[in-house]
Amino acid sequence: MSQHATELCLLLVDDVYGELTSRVFSALICYGRLSIAGLLHYTGLTPRQVKHGLAVLIQQHLALWYTLSENAATYYEANWTSAYALLRSGKFVRIVEERLGSFAGGIVSNMLLSGHASTGDLAQAYNILPRTDSGAALNVSTVHTNGHMSNGDSKSHTADSFHSSLHTLLDRGFLLSVHESYFRSDADNRSEADKLVRRLKHFDDGELKADQKHELAEAIEERLLDWKLGSDGGGDTFTVTAFEKPVKSRKRKWKGEPDMADAAGKRRRSDAQNIKVVTPSIEDEGSPSSHDTGATLRVNYDKFAVVARNEKLVELVEERVGEAASRVYAEVLRHLEMKIKFCNPSKGEEDGLSGETNFELGAKVSTTEIASAMENLDDLAGGIGLADPSMINLDTIIHPKKRRRRLDKNGSKLDGETSATEEEEEEEDDDDDDDLDPEQQNGDITDVDNDSDEVNGDDEYKSEIKVEKDGDQKQQPPTTISSLSDPQACLFLTRQNLFLLAEHPYNFLTFSRRTNSTSESWTVDFPALARQLRLIELENIITTRYGVEALRIIRILQEKGKLDEKAIATFALMAQKTMRSILTTMHEAGHLDLQEIPRDNARQPARTIFLWFFDPERCRQKVLEETYKAMARCMQRAKAEREAVQSIIDKASRTDVVGKEDELLGLDERTALGTWREKEERLLGEICRLDDLVAVLRDF
């Protein structure tokens, strides 16, 4: 973990949870895994204080713990990703409120404040279930954030609204059931999975054969995926106490509460991939006796990264393609969003797959599903031009690994002459299954006309758009859009925009042909688009700092690879003196790298070749580190500005002064308070913008 990221996380924990918790977190993040004895040594706190700090950190998922054996000591380590997520709490609540309403946003807000909570405690906090003798872990009427109600109001809500909102949050993936593996590091989870699989498979601890090693590796990955999705391997929820091994509960049951062993068999809610989680049934009309209150829930940070990535992709489509295409693309991503729980492929994508595997077998959405959700046909028609069926080639927009030679009934090629490269690819695919006959395929698909005399999206041009029917049956001459019914026109226009996105150089969509069992569908290569987003951000930063000439050099190095100064000057059409100053400036900033290749063992500069090259990954790490540093400095500045007027802030926050500032505060105090609020707003706004950059460079 970098120095400035550590500094930023410490500032966030100290600002939210206070000095005691931040001192324990500081020891963990600076010194690594520590036991209680180590924490006592490095923090200088008493055992009671250390345990209080650890309780808060573990409850908020800011600290991970692991016990090797029953009698061994427990070791703790900092979870810096959860600490950084404290910065995004407001964004999480905003996203949920925009999609599911203010009440669901209030539930997420309370879950963020509590770290994790059982459904029973959450229901009791909203006055849905009668309170137990031990009380509830949450209290909506008393939980505050900066002096305000965390859920926006103190009204009592019906059981149906509460259960409906909770069910929707779980179904959408914004909440997930807590598993014991969430409190362990990745290395500890892999170690536990290895021991468990070896015991179940009856593998010896010694050397394994090649096939046994392969079987062991697959079983471990499958077990880790089950744990990540909240399952214990058999599809059932695994709920544990967060701070120690599961023990028999001594809490007294309220009258009519079912036995947990009997209730466990009734936990049947599908969570994205048929993961069983404990959720109250909406159909039970709020009957307390029918609700299993033992499920422990937490906020799924990765799901919000998926939403942020989709929003960024929609903005990119609107900028590079158009508003109409961005509306269609937003609908595609909305359908796929329901099926994707994790954003970063390294953390696991849909079906737990990553990279190319996830792209081939990932979630898809059909054309009819997208068209059924589209409205306002005028906007869709205004974004595309005249289509010519003879100009479309589906082989250019489907995934390369799924391209097959198209044959007619007699075995002749449908697509005219092929190049030597295409013939070689076809020879390699001779052993594959043949594709469908032309009668079973989509037929001719209309595409955007390349007529340069017409303006794309013009009103007169829009009325000329033609429709080509699927199949090889002879049809009457194509009709205009105005002669079609609304469903047909919507399907046609949606399809045209989808093909427009698929043919874009960025490959926003990938097309899958219709088969006997499936309709035509679309999928998104998220890893490739995430790389493109990162590259765009890096190019924007380089252009802002060093100018357009620097961007030209970067793109040449990306395309050509390693080049010397003479070759760069030739390709960039720049004077070597001007180019050399730009190269030196970017090299000093760490955005360009230089490789020295000596011609002999003397390694004299005159006998050495200097090659310049651009490493996007190293540049990304450098910019990310600079962003962490800028965010930490903004937080420190905001803290210093607040301390300068702390006495005035304390006075203005008194209950007898709130609402009467003009009467009870002097002119100088009001001026100082207004100046501080303006500065804080600017600093926090800058932090939010920098966080958007971090999301693109790190999370997508």
Side-chain angles (χ1 to χ4, degrees), residues 58-64 79 81-83 85 92 107-108 110-112 114-119 122 166 169-170 173-184 228 230 271 295-304 341:
I58 294 176
Q59 177 71 22
Q60 301 296 332
H61 298 265
L62 299 175
L64 306 173
N79 184 11
T81 54
S82 294
F92 295 164
I107 294 178
V108 171
N110 282 295
M111 292 298 295
L112 289 170
S114 62
H116 62 263
S118 67
T119 54
L122 195 62
L166 194 62
L169 288 170
L170 284 163
F174 294 116
L175 297 181
L176 49 78
S177 59
V178 175
H179 188 270
E180 186 181 15
S181 62
Y182 296 165
F183 299 93
R184 296 192 296 252
K228 187 175 182 64
D271 189 8
T296 305
L297 306 177
R298 59 163 292 184
V299 176
N300 182 13
Y301 300 137
D302 291 330
K303 183 65 176 183
F304 292 96
K341 296 192 67 175

Side-chain angles (χ1 to χ4, degrees), residues 239-309:
T239 306
V240 298
T241 304
F243 311 104
E244 55 188 21
K245 297 185 180 70
V247 296
K248 185 176 181 180
S249 176
R250 297 181 180 179
K251 180 190 286 188
R252 291 183 294 174
K253 303 176 184 178
W254 45 269
K255 185 177 181 180
E257 181 181 4
D259 185 77
M260 292 301 299
D262 296 333
K266 300 180 180 179
R267 302 168 183 177
R268 295 294 183 267
R269 198 200 69 82
S270 174
D271 189 8
Q273 293 297 322
N274 296 325
I275 301 303
K276 310 300 182 183
V277 299
V278 186
T279 54
S281 174
I282 302 176
E283 300 175 356
D284 292 330
E285 298 182 358
S287 174
S289 61
S290 64
H291 296 156
D292 189 341
T293 60
T296 305
L297 306 177
R298 59 163 292 184
V299 176
N300 182 13
Y301 300 137
D302 291 330
K303 183 65 176 183
F304 292 96
V306 174
V307 176
R309 180 183 62 184

Side-chain angles (χ1 to χ4, degrees), residues 543-560:
T543 304
T544 303
R545 294 184 181 182
Y546 311 111
V548 181
E549 295 81 2
L551 177 61
R552 187 193 310 170
I553 294 174
I554 289 296
R555 289 180 173 176
I556 290 173
L557 293 176
Q558 276 188 290
E559 181 181 355
K560 303 297 183 180

